[in-house]
Amino acid sequence: MLQTKSRNDFKSQNSKFISNSYWITTFGCQMNKADSERMAGILENLGYIRAEDEFEADLVLYNTCTIRDSAEQKVYSYLGRQAKRKHKIPELKLVIAGCLAQQEGASLLRKVPELDLVMGPQHVNNLENLLERVDSGNQVVATEDVYISEDITNARRESGICAWVNIIYGCNERCSYCVVPSVRGKEQSRLPLAIKDEIKSLAKNNYKEITLLGQNIDAYGRDLSGRFIEGSDTTSLSDLLEYIHDINGIKRIRFATSHPRYFSKKLIQTCLQLEKVCEHFHIPFQSGNNEILRLMSRGYTVDKYKKIIDNIRSLMPHASITADAIVAFPGETENQFRDTLKLINDIGFDLVNTAAYSPRPNTPAAKWTNQIPEDIKKDRLNELNETVELNSRKRNQRYLYENENILIEGYNPKNLSQLMGRTRTNRLTFVEIPPEKKHLDFIGNEINVKIKEVRSFSLSGVMLDR
Ligand code: SAH
Ligand code: SF4
Ligand code: F3S
């Protein structure tokens, strides 16, 4: 419900007070980061400037995550400090956005009465209107389901080279452990034309790489009815990739996250044909055991998953494959856990994001009585992480002494004499700059690099002339 409540407790005492600096802290996934960049764009459009310090900002916005309990607890400790600050500076505007805001809604106002605005992810593009209500002295809660309108301001992006572009919001899956569908709502695809316009404007502003974003990106277009792409009867992710491929200036296209249940052969073929689409697929498997996958309601088997990877590798042998996995799902036995380790070793992943299962509100698995004790969770997570690191290190060997095309994004923050970029397969790479080239600006360029050193999660190399 969109609720507004007039408030007197923290009403501005001094109407001449100019509140114009903002601070955003983002928790959670790329989706939340992309949302924060759009909200920063809206704030800057309203005349706000980015604050240097969280504790000096006139407006503080926490864009929150609730995927696991640990993510949630972190937010409360951050909020507590700002709530205290508000007692000294009543003009301070406190905003909580994102998935925890959606999950808790109005009850957050009871927990933290100092809050001015509680807003769910579907309301990001509407920040300006919501702040207007706050400015007229209301406490506002915006968590009702809405149609997500296009954001007409420019996002304030962290990178000047790589940009995230949302193509579908929400998720219609019902994985039994996951809070996302209840906090991000139903799938809503953006229209191809709006996506293309955004990418064109990114290209005009010198962006070189885009990553199309969706929780289940293969669902793109399912909710659109009608013909939206000239010359095509369908509006799928493959159609969209073809439709946006030829925008001048953009050199690389990525997308995430793929769901094994919907990942099609056609998509792999499309990626192979489209030169700018990078050879990197993020396809979470979650568990290497069929019974656990069934309990998770994932809708595929280990064999089906392996087949997808075989299909990719038969067409793109060098593609990098990354995934997410959860250990200690309710009832997971030692052997079932071993199946997950086995799958990682069988596939040889480039990277796996790992997590121990955390019970989430309003999800079926949270109510099951066969939860795994914390000490076993910890042990399994540690063992999983070791296996993942070993695999990443092994996979990275294939880059050693190879020439790789690196898109330079900036300088290595820990060593400013090195450039930093990524391979097409998304490996972070540090590049030594030859002394005679120190004066040149490489940012935004793709350069040839000979890889001289490989570690578990990054590479180092030297620039080649050609
Ligand atoms: N849409 C993506 C994932 C979104 S959430 C997909 O379907 O794969 C990101 C990751 O968080 C998930 O892949 C999962 O590995 C992890 N995750 C989600 N819910 C979790 C929970 N309750 N406990 C632990 N990890 C969880
Ligand atoms: Fe969560 Fe499953 Fe949707 Fe991914 S596909 S966001 S894991 S419900
Ligand atoms: Fe992302 Fe966390 Fe929400 S992972 S979708 S920000 S719950």
Side-chain angles (χ1 to χ4, degrees), residues 193-344:
L193 189 62
I195 297 168
K196 194 177 207 171
D197 282 348
E198 181 174 359
I199 301 172
K200 275 187 186 162
S201 121
L202 287 166
K204 222 180 270 165
N205 287 301
N206 263 330
Y207 280 85
K208 305 295 177 200
E209 178 180 301
I210 53 150
T211 302
L212 307 179
L213 284 186
Q215 281 299 355
N216 173 5
I217 201 141
D218 309 85
Y220 177 74
R222 271 207 301 221
D223 57 314
L224 298 174
S225 52
R227 293 171 66 155
F228 292 101
I229 298 179
E230 227 184 279
S232 170
D233 287 336
T234 52
T235 314
S236 66
L237 177 58
S238 300
D239 300 322
L240 182 74
L241 286 169
E242 280 168 10
Y243 177 67
I244 57 151
H245 185 262
D246 291 332
I247 296 171
N248 269 342
I250 299 297
K251 294 180 176 169
R252 293 179 171 189
I253 300 171
R254 306 181 186 279
F255 56 87
T257 297
S258 302
H259 194 303
R261 185 167 174 187
Y262 304 103
F263 195 95
S264 68
K265 229 175 176 170
K266 173 157 185 254
L267 180 63
I268 309 171
Q269 272 148 357
T270 306
C271 295
L272 186 68
Q273 277 155 18
L274 299 175
E275 171 202 0
K276 294 181 188 175
V277 178
C278 294
E279 300 75 27
H280 170 217
F281 300 93
H282 184 67
I283 319 175
F285 60 87
Q286 311 300 1
S287 166
N289 176 273
N290 284 337
E291 178 58 14
I292 296 289
L293 284 175
R294 193 182 63 77
L295 293 167
M296 286 177 162
S297 303
R298 288 291 286 179
Y300 54 85
T301 60
V302 175
D303 273 350
K304 159 102 197 275
Y305 187 84
K306 283 184 170 166
K307 201 158 267 155
I308 293 171
I309 308 302
D310 284 348
N311 284 337
I312 295 174
R313 287 185 169 156
S314 69
L315 291 173
M316 297 183 195
H318 298 294
S320 79
I321 313 284
T322 61
D324 302 346
I326 300 174
V327 291
F329 184 76
E332 185 189 68
T333 63
E334 182 65 23
N335 281 342
Q336 289 171 330
F337 163 62
R338 302 261 148 228
D339 285 343
T340 295
L341 299 182
K342 183 171 179 317
L343 182 63
I344 294 175

Side-chain angles (χ1 to χ4, degrees), residues 411 419 432-442 448 463-466:
Y411 290 91
L419 296 166
E432 225 34 86
I433 318 170
E436 70 279 10
K437 291 186 178 160
K438 286 253 189 273
H439 61 289
L440 298 174
D441 182 10
F442 291 101
N448 257 327
M463 198 181 294
L464 295 174
D465 274 341
R466 285 177 354 96

Side-chain angles (χ1 to χ4, degrees), residues 67-68 171 175 177-180 214-216 257-259 284 286 298 324-326 353 355-360:
I67 202 79
R68 288 180 280 277
C171 178
C175 303
Y177 52 83
C178 184
V179 76
V180 171
Q215 281 299 355
N216 173 5
T257 297
S258 302
H259 194 303
Q286 311 300 1
R298 288 291 286 179
D324 302 346
I326 300 174
N353 303 319
Y357 169 75
S358 166
R360 304 314 295 135

Side-chain angles (χ1 to χ4, degrees), residues 394-410:
K394 243 195 247 166
R395 284 289 287 166
N396 275 355
Q397 292 302 323
R398 72 197 155 112
Y399 294 107
L400 196 58
Y401 307 125
E402 293 293 325
N403 295 349
E404 286 291 324
N405 195 345
I406 308 294
L407 173 62
I408 300 299
E409 295 169 26

Side-chain angles (χ1 to χ4, degrees), residues 27-32 63-68 71 98-100 121 179-180 183-184 215:
F27 304 84
C29 63
Q30 292 170 331
M31 207 74 66
N32 248 20
N63 196 12
T64 61
C65 172
T66 178
I67 202 79
R68 288 180 280 277
C99 296
L100 178 65
V179 76
V180 171
V183 290
R184 291 250 163 198
Q215 281 299 355

